[in-house]
Amino acid sequence: MAIELYNADFRELGDLEERFGDFIIVTDPPFNIGYHYKSYGDSLDCAEYIEMVTKLMIGRKSVIVHYPERLYELAMAADTMPRRVVSWVYNSNTPRQHRDIAFFNVEPDFSQVRQPYKNPNDKRIKERVARGRTGARLYDWWNVNQVKNTSEEKTAHPCQMPLEVMKRVIGILPDGATILDPFMGSGTTGAAVAELNGAGANRSFIGIEIDKEYYEIAKKRVENVTKTQ
Ligand SMILES: C[S@@+](CC[C@H](N)C(=O)[O-])C[C@H]1O[C@@H](n2cnc3c(N)ncnc32)[C@H](O)[C@@H]1O
């Protein structure tokens, strides 16, 4: 169980397999919409953007968070269909109320993460609880608030994923895997890996972020989780 963080453009790290061995990419890529990141412009030519993301997916196990229509486009460009898709839904004052999380070449196991039973008074559920079951397997529709300016977990990164969403994503992936996030941002994926490891899991994490300030935020965040364990 190792954690390695890099302040770099992932495209300049050479052959990722040669360097890091076997891994599952888990990432929330920039959306190429001219977002106000600190140093990254987020406005590549459309073909260049699709190529950058699909190169990460082709022939690899990958989990990508994106708007649904972009995921269809990426899947077609990479000529690979997701094995499963989860919808992450949230309330916001924008017309967009969900993003999807697509699992390519890797089968998530929803029974690895438990949620409270919806009908705890049902006779069969009571029997399951008596046999030691801690809840129902996770469903594929997750209602989790976005990170707001007032959220406790908020950092200076302008578009942070909720830790709860990333913990669910990592939690349903194979234990023992190495997780690689080439667009690490504030390090939410790494913090999720570290938190789950603190609860007995055993995954490694490699995080790469091009912006120095965001890299420092991620480093501190992951260190904070590991030092409290
Ligand atoms: C959508 S954000 C990721 C947010 C992250 N999931 C979080 O919770 O904080 C995408 C990040 O990718 C970074 N980025 C863009 N191009 C990159 C590249 N070629 N290599 C590494 N990082 C890159 C941006 O600076 C930005 O922080």
Side-chain angles (χ1 to χ4, degrees):
M1 163 176 122
I3 294 195
E4 289 173 44
L5 307 184
Y6 296 83
N7 177 206
D9 180 331
F10 76 88
R11 294 166 296 184
E12 288 170 7
L13 290 183
D15 185 296
L16 296 178
E17 272 76 9
E18 228 166 70
R19 192 168 186 142
F20 301 119
D22 188 35
F23 52 78
I24 304 172
I25 289 185
V26 176
T27 199
D28 153 43
F31 283 9
N32 212 37
I33 51 176
Y35 202 74
H36 56 278
Y37 294 109
K38 184 107 188 157
S39 59
Y40 177 67
D42 199 32
S43 49
L44 297 177
D45 165 78
C46 186
E48 197 185 338
Y49 174 74
I50 296 283
E51 192 192 346
M52 173 174 79
V53 183
T54 51
K55 261 194 180 162
L56 286 168
M57 298 162 61
I58 292 169
R60 292 201 171 115
K61 298 171 215 157
S62 63
V63 183
I64 313 285
V65 183
H66 220 308
Y67 292 135
E69 62 277 15
R70 265 298 198 202
L71 279 172
Y72 298 143
E73 196 179 0
L74 290 166
M76 283 173 69
D79 197 20
T80 175
M81 290 303 130
R83 302 249 180 108
R84 290 298 298 261
V85 178
V86 165
S87 280
W88 164 38
V89 302
Y90 42 81
N91 283 321
S92 77
N93 53 7
T94 66
R96 287 193 170 272
Q97 301 276 313
H98 77 110
R99 288 182 213 168
D100 281 353
I101 302 169
F103 294 75
F104 296 95
N105 298 315
V106 61
E107 198 72 56
D109 180 354
F110 290 82
S111 68
Q112 288 180 180
V113 176
R114 297 275 156 187
Q115 61 181 333
Y117 287 117
K118 279 188 177 166
N119 41 357
N121 294 322
D122 182 288
K123 191 169 150 253
R124 282 162 310 175
I125 299 301
K126 281 186 170 163
E127 281 165 11
R128 279 181 213 166
V129 173
R131 288 200 306 271
R133 282 278 191 85
T134 50
R137 56 168 37 210
L138 201 59
Y139 303 144
D140 60 0
W141 188 90
W142 302 346
N143 190 345
V144 179
N145 279 338
Q146 287 176 300
V147 177
K148 308 258 166 60
N149 282 337
T150 50
S151 308
E152 215 174 290
E153 64 190 280
K154 176 84 178 105
T155 71
H157 194 283
C159 88
Q160 216 180 299
M161 281 295 291
L163 184 60
E164 175 60 27
V165 170
M166 296 319 291
K167 277 171 70 176
R168 292 184 189 189
V169 171
I170 302 297
I172 58 178
L173 289 172
D175 196 18
T178 295
I179 307 298
L180 187 148
D181 187 347
F183 300 107
M184 170 173 68
S186 68
T188 313
T189 315
V193 169
E195 277 211 9
L196 294 175
N197 284 351
N202 182 23
R203 298 182 184 88
S204 293
F205 178 71
I206 297 156
I208 310 162
E209 169 55 47
I210 201 167
D211 182 278
K212 177 93 172 102
E213 187 178 313
Y214 300 157
Y215 161 80
E216 293 296 345
I217 291 171
K219 193 162 162 267
K220 227 179 255 152
R221 216 173 155 202
V222 175
E223 276 168 8
N224 280 345
V225 178
T226 46
K227 82 171 172 227
T228 53
Q229 287 167 358

